[in-house]
């Protein structure tokens, strides 16, 4: 069976409020690297979008994800011999600790199938917020996961390439060993493209919920010339309160930018502060919408009445598949797909 036949039928329908405007960069045919992309059941929808963005340069491979009677994974790579001497990639999602072992099993197996090169795409690095040891006894699980991924076997072409979007702390790159080549990408270009489409784009101000977010992201907005607001967290007894450090939100459409959201408490406090200071509209962007325990339900929509009602938009990427399914067709959420950036990364 030819490798081209690995591609399943792809959906051509557009998902409501899913933007794929940031397309894969055009690759000259002579330089194009044809790739076979495998995926998990959770990332199938995103994998299909990646293949569509690549214009024939990426075909989709299949894995049978089964379980034995005792619950351990029973895995099978279909047409394994047809990927020899091919560029191969795997689109992972460690959205739940219970799925990591079965995916690690596949990740360790694919490079050993005599493939030309192997790229692991892990859009969201889930233990990124546990990167420090503050008290003796703390375990930095970000380091643990990085060590697991650093031991992926090499392919015939050399070390595994690892693609991650907006890892929580940039210093975490030093947790990875020399056996992998980490490529750290960002979802912010998706936001920049979306902001250019807004009717009130000339009144946009970018806000950061704390100094860490400003250090992390402000350089990506410099060339656009957006005014900026920096918030800070101060301690009031046992509580931490969000305060304005610098910037002016009055009569502006303020967009709060951060790498991820979990419970959403900080973003909701930032919204309340900015609305109280006269912002016309408040929106938010995070690359990773984790939202444990359906915490997304706390975010109310501003349907045009103003910032006091809620968020005008809440943009997030499709790095967390369960969240995409949960918030689809629900205001104020809008998905900015990573399909184009992933397709481009697979051509490097």
């Amino acid at each position: 069976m030819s490798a081209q036949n690995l591609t399943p039928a792809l959906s051509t329908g557009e998902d409501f409020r899913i933007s794929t405007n940031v397309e894969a960069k055009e690759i000259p045919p002579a330089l194009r690297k044809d790739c076979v992309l495998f995926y998990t059941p959770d990332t199938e929808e995103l994998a299909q979008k990646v293949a569509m963005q690549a214009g024939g340069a990426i075909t989709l491979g299949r894995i049978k994800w089964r379980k034995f009677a005792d619950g351990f994974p029973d895995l099978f790579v279909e047409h394994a011999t047809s990927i020899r001497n091919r560029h191969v990639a795997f689109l992972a999602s460690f959205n739940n600790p219970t799925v990591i072992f079965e995916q690690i099993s596949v990740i360790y197996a694919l490079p050993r199938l005599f493939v030309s090169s192997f790229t692991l795409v892990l859009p969201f690095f889930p233990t990124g917020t546990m990167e420090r040891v503050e008290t003796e006894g703390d375990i930095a699980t970000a380091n643990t996961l990085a060590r697991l991924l650093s031991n992926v076997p090499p392919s015939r072409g050399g070390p595994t390439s690892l693609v991650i979007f907006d890892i929580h702390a940039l210093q975490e790159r030093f947790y990875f060993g020399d056996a992998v080549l980490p490529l750290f990408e960002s979802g912010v270009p998706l936001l920049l493209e979306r902001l250019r489409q807004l009717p009130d784009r000339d009144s946009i101000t970018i806000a950061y919920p704390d100094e860490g977010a400003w250090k992390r992201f402000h350089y990506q907005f410099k060339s656009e010339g957006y005014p900026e607001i920096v918030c800070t967290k101060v301690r009031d007894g046992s509580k931490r309160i969000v305060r304005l450090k610098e910037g002016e939100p009055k009569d502006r459409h303020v967009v709060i930018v951060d790498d991820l959201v979990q419970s959403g408490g900080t973003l909701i406090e930032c919204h309340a502060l900015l609305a109280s200071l006269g912002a016309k509209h408040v929106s938010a962007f995070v690359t990773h919408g984790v939202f444990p325990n359906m915490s997304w339900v706390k975010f109310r929509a501003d349907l045009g009445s103003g910032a006091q009602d809620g968020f005008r938009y809440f943009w997030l990427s499709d790095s967390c598949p369960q969240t995409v399914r949960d918030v689809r067709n629900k205001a104020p959420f809008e998905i900015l797909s990573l399909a184009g950036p992933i397709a481009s990364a697979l051509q490097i």
Side-chain angles (χ1 to χ4, degrees), residues 188-307:
V188 168
L190 299 172
L191 172 64
L192 291 173
E193 181 63 26
R194 185 68 180 91
L195 293 181
R196 296 184 191 108
Q197 300 168 7
L198 296 181
D200 60 349
R201 57 187 174 274
D202 293 333
S203 66
I204 295 293
T205 293
I206 303 299
Y208 307 98
D210 52 41
E211 293 90 341
W214 177 84
K215 291 177 183 177
R216 177 67 187 279
F217 292 112
H218 82 98
Y219 75 94
Q220 297 193 61
F221 295 94
K222 270 187 175 180
S223 62
E224 303 294 326
Y226 291 120
E228 292 184 316
I229 290 170
V230 181
C231 298
T232 188
K233 298 174 185 176
V234 297
R235 189 167 294 281
D236 181 9
S238 61
K239 296 189 297 184
R240 296 181 73 185
I241 300 175
V242 176
R243 293 281 187 257
L244 184 69
K245 182 179 180 182
E246 59 183 80
E248 176 53 69
K250 187 174 176 57
D251 296 326
R252 305 290 292 179
H253 182 173
V254 183
V255 179
I256 308 167
V257 175
D258 209 350
D259 62 321
L260 62 86
V261 58
Q262 297 222 28
S263 69
T266 297
L267 289 181
I268 289 173
E269 285 188 46
C270 281
H271 168 275
L273 172 66
L274 296 167
S276 70
L277 293 173
K280 184 176 182 180
H281 297 292
V282 177
S283 296
F285 168 83
V286 297
T287 304
H288 311 297
V290 184
F291 291 123
N293 303 314
M294 297 183 65
S295 56
W296 55 268
V297 300
K298 296 186 289 187
F299 289 85
R300 296 177 292 107
D302 161 17
L303 300 178
S305 299

Side-chain angles (χ1 to χ4, degrees), residues 21-284:
N21 290 323
V22 178
E23 298 181 352
K25 297 176 183 177
E26 188 67 28
I27 305 293
L31 300 178
R32 194 174 73 180
K33 184 170 76 173
D34 291 336
C35 177
V36 180
L37 176 62
F38 292 90
Y39 52 88
T40 75
D42 269 343
T43 59
E44 180 175 5
E45 181 180 331
L46 179 54
Q48 290 178 344
K49 288 183 172 68
V50 171
M52 293 176 70
Q53 288 281 314
I58 294 173
T59 55
L60 298 182
R62 288 188 181 275
I63 296 170
K64 291 182 179 178
W65 301 87
R66 304 168 300 198
K67 292 187 183 295
F68 292 109
D70 61 2
F72 278 87
D74 175 15
L75 308 168
F76 182 77
V77 178
E78 296 187 10
H79 312 296
T81 58
S82 68
I83 64 173
R84 291 176 180 173
N85 295 312
R86 299 289 303 276
H87 299 292
V88 171
F90 181 71
L91 180 56
S93 176
F94 292 174
N95 60 299
N96 187 313
T98 63
V99 302
I100 294 178
F101 176 71
E102 62 184 12
Q103 291 185 51
I104 287 289
S105 300
V106 170
I107 290 164
Y108 278 35
L110 287 174
R112 294 180 177 274
L113 295 177
F114 293 92
V115 302
S116 178
S117 69
F118 180 62
T119 300
L120 171 59
V121 182
L122 182 63
F124 174 46
F125 189 77
T127 59
T129 55
M130 281 300 298
E131 84 282 15
R132 291 175 293 179
V133 173
E134 296 183 346
T135 304
E136 192 64 31
D138 285 343
I139 297 176
T141 52
N143 185 42
T144 306
L145 184 55
R147 290 170 65 187
L148 272 175
L149 299 178
S150 296
N151 284 284
V152 177
S155 64
R156 299 183 72 181
T160 290
S161 298
L162 172 61
V163 182
I164 297 174
F165 285 83
D166 290 317
I167 197 167
H168 182 65
L170 288 177
Q171 63 266 27
E172 291 176 49
R173 70 179 60 216
F174 302 113
Y175 287 170
F176 295 92
D178 293 338
V180 294
L181 302 174
L183 174 64
F184 297 104
E185 297 280 30
S186 178
V188 168
L190 299 172
L191 172 64
L192 291 173
E193 181 63 26
R194 185 68 180 91
L195 293 181
R196 296 184 191 108
Q197 300 168 7
L198 296 181
D200 60 349
R201 57 187 174 274
D202 293 333
S203 66
I204 295 293
T205 293
I206 303 299
Y208 307 98
D210 52 41
E211 293 90 341
W214 177 84
K215 291 177 183 177
R216 177 67 187 279
F217 292 112
H218 82 98
Y219 75 94
Q220 297 193 61
F221 295 94
K222 270 187 175 180
S223 62
E224 303 294 326
Y226 291 120
E228 292 184 316
I229 290 170
V230 181
C231 298
T232 188
K233 298 174 185 176
V234 297
R235 189 167 294 281
D236 181 9
S238 61
K239 296 189 297 184
R240 296 181 73 185
I241 300 175
V242 176
R243 293 281 187 257
L244 184 69
K245 182 179 180 182
E246 59 183 80
E248 176 53 69
K250 187 174 176 57
D251 296 326
R252 305 290 292 179
H253 182 173
V254 183
V255 179
I256 308 167
V257 175
D258 209 350
D259 62 321
L260 62 86
V261 58
Q262 297 222 28
S263 69
T266 297
L267 289 181
I268 289 173
E269 285 188 46
C270 281
H271 168 275
L273 172 66
L274 296 167
S276 70
L277 293 173
K280 184 176 182 180
H281 297 292
V282 177
S283 296

